[in-house]
Amino acid sequence: MTDNSAADAMRAALTTQLLDMAGILQPIFDAADGMKAELISRGWSPTQAEQSAGAWLTATLAAIGGAA
């Protein structure tokens, strides 16, 4: 395997892994967006809703990262 083909294989593997990760994380980001919208619809200020959804998102991502 030449240096170029090895680098190409590594780039292809990394690209695939990043796409897989995006597919896993997208529903979590969507849930945080939904949570923020729901809180705003219930009368929370946009700032409060953003902070609460952000705290949930951060905790969720940390839990996923810790499970790996």
Side-chain angles (χ1 to χ4, degrees), residues 3-63:
D3 286 342
N4 283 341
S5 62
D8 288 344
M10 288 175 57
R11 276 194 287 278
L14 178 59
T15 300
T16 300
Q17 291 170 353
L18 289 173
L19 289 171
D20 288 346
M21 184 60 83
I24 292 167
L25 294 177
Q26 189 60 47
I28 297 168
F29 286 109
D30 290 345
D33 288 340
M35 180 184 299
K36 178 183 171 186
E38 177 69 19
L39 291 172
I40 290 171
S41 75
R42 292 176 180 259
W44 288 46
S45 75
T47 301
Q48 290 173 319
E50 179 84 23
Q51 289 174 346
S52 294
W56 176 84
L57 178 61
T58 301
T60 302
L61 293 174

